[in-house]
Amino acid sequence: IKQDSGYLIVEQHETPGLGDAAAESMAELIKEQQTVNVDAVTSATITSEAIKTAVNDCIQQAKRKE
């Protein structure tokens, strides 16, 4: 994860106020800590894991392009 890299959650179908907030929170945590090994958001474990999986997939795709 590059320090200056951005992220964009293009589409999500989470519960308003819970899952959608967790997705944004997870993306911020991953960017701030520069790792996908962050704690899941309480009450949104599945969403948290989905975001970590998606970010990790993007990282692997970017590495293949280098």
Side-chain angles (χ1 to χ4, degrees):
I1 302 171
K2 294 181 180 177
Q3 187 68 19
D4 62 344
S5 67
Y7 61 87
L8 176 63
I9 298 173
V10 178
E11 182 178 343
Q12 56 88 12
H13 302 281
E14 296 297 333
T15 304
L18 181 60
D20 60 348
E24 288 293 331
S25 177
M26 285 299 297
E28 264 313 304
L29 280 171
I30 290 168
K31 186 176 178 185
E32 287 172 8
Q33 296 184 25
Q34 296 292 293
T35 181
V36 294
N37 297 322
V38 296
D39 291 335
V41 175
T42 303
S43 300
T45 306
I46 294 172
T47 298
S48 298
E49 293 303 318
I51 292 295
K52 292 195 302 188
T53 298
V55 170
N56 194 47
D57 183 55
C58 289
I59 291 168
Q60 296 309 313
Q61 289 180 42
K63 285 181 179 179
R64 287 193 291 266
K65 290 182 180 182
E66 291 179 352

